[in-house]
């Protein structure tokens, strides 16, 4: 194994060397930075040209210049890597250091949502293969697959941002929208749950009525203007999470797991006010992380207390539900910031912005306002990126799960009388996740350089903008800096995904040669 | 593929379990090609898409003038992309809006400018047609070049294995490290002014990597199969084994991934043109049109709608055709079981019971 990894790392270095060499020379020979000055009639042009040639070291032929650049990179072994300077005399590494976090912020949420939603939809469509639900989701996933992202982005800006802002400013749902939304969600749930006509109609009716009632109630009580959950609603959500997570993770028959999850719900209720006190007085990222750790510790303890023999699944269930309940409390706290945020400078009752990374008019926002501000700025780009990328996950997870469900061991599992939940979650879904994990790893590495168009449409300045500027400005060092980051990540991700594959799937052995 | 092409009918007639009765009835006595064709024709979405795609191609290429070198024709549409007639005023006071009317009535039909006019009066229908031509051209060229290179390299690597395989796959690793949009941008920025055809040629030279990996994998498994051994024992040459025994079995994987490659290529081309690295003015492409007019969306939305509509139609129909082909080529896939199938299955079952 060790030898295998070392050999692969060795090849990686060679590959990176080769592709950076090719890219460097390709870019260097295909454009001349002095071209503009050559035809310039400015008397100073000659001088400027000499300066430019010296600055960019143009008298050295590109292959030799490449090795000079490489020397800077190889300094990484001595501790200070040198990407060189941009044409505007900034450190490339400084530009990268400011661009990478922006890009990460832009794509992380979208990637997570796309993965979770995509897999969930893929699994449900596979389980309802050839149902109407399956056809509808398949059609939409193909449609998403075929959409150019800049087109979607402009549409989102025009329709969603404007209409949604109007709605958020007024806080009233028009009757037509309420009915339409309720019908859409009702069909969604009925499509997932109802396999027979009778259950389908029942779920359809129930979901429509409850959705419609909820929307009307929220609308009439001006909830959208002053959204809040409060301890009681948080507790109701927590109980719902407890049952839902247990049902999926271990099945409701496993009483200890259910008890542990319920305990977490009660803890959520008890801790609601103390945690809010902490949020109001000591809010920071570290507090959130500490609280998350505390939640997991509590969940672990609750799992230990209730479990009799199967400790693992019980603790796992408690931890997942605890984490989700924590998220609900954070969401509740964010909602409390909503009403004051609406009135702030630069927001003025239209909270969904169409461009930018944050509101420049906010002066010294507190932690929660800042968080909320950044979240609303992420709203449209996240929707656009999610819409485009989750179609792939739907298709892939659906296909893989269908293939797994055809395997003999699934038949065996069913034949020995396991419950359908166990067959699906433990035997089928886990095996579906093996190829999915490896794909996700590679995708996650790819998104660092991948959001070029989204950044441009929504006016973010991350890696994509950097790259764009580097190409059109013929800024070789900057371009190579961006390339170095994306390429290194992508080859490493490929290696990790290979190793993961062999770790997860005992049928596959790497390095057995 | 689960079973080889030649043994298909044998294997099918051997498995006579009740649950396979429907599936077996369907393929008995048919060659692989007939089965695939039949499955594909039955795939409704794919057939509709095929029809739509062909119609779009014919419509787009005949509407506006089209020239490659000396060959070419003038389209039936009376404006070209360079004509700039006066802007027409429309009923609501705007200028240059689309005259296309699909509801029956007095104005039914194309009108003077079916897709409207752009800001200086160019006929937008002619522009969109030219853009769609460029996009389609790029898509097909990339599909052809990348498909050919990917298949050849993948087959060689998978068939000969060893050192050849190693060398070729390292080459693939080289190219895969560079994201396609980066390659596209670099190429497009520096060679974009050579025209759409050259852009597509260059992009095609880099787009084959994923396909070659797939083909290699397919060859690696197929070359170990019994029918390949049988052919070798019978004295077949490498050439014959590759072209007569392995390639026909791998053709499903190849065709499906080429369609996916093409639907990705059209989006890549539009994205590059949008960024300004693809097709550049004075030529026209769909991405370029959208990029140029995205700010006028509120005032004259048709400048934005029509190119987008064509991109989506083309990409969507290619995707559905690919899906239909995948289903058709995959012998393991189960078709949707209709009421008619159930009735036939129970009939077969009854027959069997009465026999035994």
């Amino acid at each position: 194994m060790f030898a295998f990894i070392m050999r692969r790392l060795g090849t990686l270095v060679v590959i990176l060397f080769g592709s950076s060499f090719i890219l460097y020379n390709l870019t260097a020979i295909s454009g001349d930075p002095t071209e503009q000055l050559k035809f310039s009639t400015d008397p100073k042009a000659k001088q400027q040209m000499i300066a430019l040639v010296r600055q960019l070291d143009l008298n050295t032929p590109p292959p030799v210049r490449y090795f000079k650049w490489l020397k800077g990179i190889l300094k990484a072994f001595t501790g200070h890597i040198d990407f060189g300077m941009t044409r505007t005399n900034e450190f490339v590494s400084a530009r990268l250091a400011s661009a990478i976090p922006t890009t990460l912020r832009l794509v992380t949420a979208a990637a997570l949502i796309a993965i979770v939603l995509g897999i969930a939809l893929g699994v449900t469509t596979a389980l309802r293969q050839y149902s109407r639900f399956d056809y509808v989701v398949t059609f939409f996933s193909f449609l998403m697959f075929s959409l150019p992202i800049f087109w979607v982005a402009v549409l989102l800006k025009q329709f969603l941002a404007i209409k949604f802002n109007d709605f958020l400013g007024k806080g009233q749902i028009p009757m037509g929208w309420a009915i339409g939304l309720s019908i859409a969600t009702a069909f969604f749930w009925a499509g997932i749950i109802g396999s027979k006509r009778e259950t389908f109609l029942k779920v359809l009716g129930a979901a429509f009525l409850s959705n419609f009632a909820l929307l009307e109630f929220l609308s009439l009580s001006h909830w959208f203007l002053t959204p809040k959950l409060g301890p009681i609603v948080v507790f109701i959500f927590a109980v719902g999470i407890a049952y839902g997570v247990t049902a999926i993770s271990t099945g409701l028959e496993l009483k200890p797991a259910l008890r542990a999850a319920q305990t977490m719900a009660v803890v959520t209720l008890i801790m609601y006010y103390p945690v809010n006190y902490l949020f109001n007085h000591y809010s920071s990222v570290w507090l959130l992380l500490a609280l998350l750790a505390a939640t997991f510790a509590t969940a672990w303890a609750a799992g230990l207390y209730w479990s009799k023999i199967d400790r693992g699944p019980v603790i796992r269930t408690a931890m997942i539900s605890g984490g989700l309940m924590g998220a609900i409390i954070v969401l509740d706290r964010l909602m409390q910031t909503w009403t004051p945020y609406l009135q702030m400078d630069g927001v003025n009752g239209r909270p969904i912005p169409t461009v930018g990374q944050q509101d420049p008019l906010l002066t010294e926002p507190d932690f929660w306002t800042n968080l909320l501000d950044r979240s609303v700025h992420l709203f449209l780009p996240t929707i656009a990126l999610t819409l485009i990328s989750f179609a792939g996950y739907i298709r892939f997870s659906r296909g893989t799960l269908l293939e797994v469900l055809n395997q003999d061991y699934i038949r065996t599992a069913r034949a020995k009388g396991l419950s359908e939940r166990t067959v699906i979650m433990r035997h089928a879904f886990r095996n579906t996740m093996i190829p999915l994990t490896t794909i996700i790893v590679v995708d996650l590495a790819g998104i660092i350089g991948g959001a070029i168009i989204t950044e441009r449409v929504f006016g973010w300045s991350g890696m994509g903008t950097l790259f764009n500027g580097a190409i059109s400005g013929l800024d070789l060092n900057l371009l190579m800096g961006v390339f170095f980051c994306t390429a290194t990540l992508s080859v490493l991700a490929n290696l990790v995904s290979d190793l993961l594959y062999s770790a997860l799937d005992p049928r596959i052995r790497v390095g057995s040669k | 593929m689960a079973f080889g092409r030649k043994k298909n009918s044998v294997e099918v007639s051997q498995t006579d379990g009740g649950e396979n009765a429907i599936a077996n009835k369907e393929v008995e006595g048919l060659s692989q090609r007939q089965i695939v064709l039949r499955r594909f024709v039955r795939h409704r979405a794919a057939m509709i898409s095929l029809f739509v795609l062909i119609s779009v191609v014919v419509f787009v290429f005949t509407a506006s003038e089209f020239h490659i070198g000396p060959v070419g024709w003038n389209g039936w549409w009376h404006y070209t992309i360079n004509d700039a007639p006066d802007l027409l005023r429309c009923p609501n006071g705007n200028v240059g809006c689309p005259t296309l009317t699909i509801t029956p009535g007095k104005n039914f039909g194309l009108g003077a400018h079916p897709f409207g006019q752009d800001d200086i009066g160019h006929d937008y229908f002619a522009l969109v047609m030219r853009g769609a031509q460029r996009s389609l051209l790029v898509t097909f060229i990339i599909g052809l070049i990348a498909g050919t290179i990917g298949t050849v390299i993948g087959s060689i690597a998978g068939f000969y294995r060893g050192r050849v395989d190693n060398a070729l796959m390292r080459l693939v690793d080289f190219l895969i490290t560079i994201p396609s949009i980066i390659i596209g941008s670099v190429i497009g920025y520096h060679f974009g002014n050579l025209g759409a055809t050259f852009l597509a040629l260059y992009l095609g030279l880099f787009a084959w990597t994923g396909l070659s990996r797939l083909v290699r994998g397919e060859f690696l498994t197929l070359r170990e199969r019994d029918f390949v051994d049988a052919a070798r024992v019978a004295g077949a040459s490498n050439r014959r084994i590759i072209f007569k025994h392995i390639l026909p079995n791998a053709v499903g994987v190849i065709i499906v991934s080429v369609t996916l490659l093409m639907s990705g290529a059209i989006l890549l081309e539009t994205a590059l043109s949008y960024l300004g690295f693809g097709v550049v003015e004075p030529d026209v492409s769909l991405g370029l049109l959208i990029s140029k007019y995205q700010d006028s969306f509120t005032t004259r939305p048709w400048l934005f709608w029509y190119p987008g509509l064509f991109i989506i139609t083309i990409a969507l129909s290619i995707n559905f055709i690919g899906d239909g082909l995948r289903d058709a080529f995959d012998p393991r896939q189960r078709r949707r079981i209709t009421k008619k199938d159930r009735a036939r299955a129970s009939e077969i079952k009854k027959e069997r019971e009465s026999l035994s």
Side-chain angles (χ1 to χ4, degrees), chain A residues 30 130 146-147 158 468 491, chain B residues 177 190 277 297 312 319 334:
Chain A
S30 57
Y130 298 139
S146 320
L147 290 176
Q158 286 299 331
N468 227 340
V491 285
Chain B
T177 47
H190 302 297
F277 301 135
F297 185 82
I312 293 174
N319 271 326
R334 281 179 297 173

Side-chain angles (χ1 to χ4, degrees), chain B residues 326-340:
Chain B
R326 189 203 332 258
D327 281 1
F329 275 109
D330 187 357
R332 281 168 302 186
Q333 73 110 18
R334 281 179 297 173
R335 202 164 59 87
R336 183 180 184 187
I337 299 189
T338 57
K339 272 185 192 152
K340 215 166 112 192

Side-chain angles (χ1 to χ4, degrees), chain A residues 173-188 208 211-212 215-216:
Chain A
I173 302 186
M175 189 54 97
W177 272 91
I179 294 179
L181 273 178
S182 312
I183 291 179
T185 29
F187 267 103
F188 178 78
F208 173 75
N211 270 319
F212 185 70
L215 285 180
E216 276 303 296

Side-chain angles (χ1 to χ4, degrees), chain B residues 223-242:
Chain B
R223 79 188 296 283
E224 304 297 328
R225 300 286 293 276
D226 291 342
F227 60 84
V228 173
D229 286 344
R232 186 164 292 132
V233 170
S237 63
N238 278 346
R239 219 183 86 129
R240 189 179 165 81
I241 291 177
I242 291 180

Side-chain angles (χ1 to χ4, degrees), chain A residues 11 15 18-19 30 130 135 142 145-148 150-151 154 158 395 406 452-453 456-457 468 471-472 491, chain B residues 173-174 177 185 189-190 267 271 274 277 290 294 297-298 304 308 311-312 315-316 319-320 323 333-334 336:
Chain A
T11 0
I15 286 173
S19 55
S30 57
Y130 298 139
Y135 284 130
F142 273 127
F145 230 46
S146 320
L147 290 176
F150 47 89
W151 203 71
V154 175
Q158 286 299 331
R395 298 304 299 162
N406 264 339
I452 297 175
I453 293 175
R456 169 130 164 196
V457 179
N468 227 340
I471 292 225
S472 37
V491 285
Chain B
D173 285 342
F174 261 13
T177 47
S185 306
Y189 184 74
H190 302 297
L267 292 183
Y274 176 84
F277 301 135
I290 292 183
Q294 57 172 326
F297 185 82
T298 35
F304 181 81
I311 296 175
I312 293 174
L316 192 61
N319 271 326
F320 267 114
D323 188 49
Q333 73 110 18
R334 281 179 297 173
R336 183 180 184 187

Side-chain angles (χ1 to χ4, degrees), chain A residues 117-131:
Chain A
L117 261 187
I119 293 179
L121 271 178
V123 167
T124 38
T125 47
L127 295 178
R128 299 255 174 277
Q129 195 192 9
Y130 298 139
S131 65

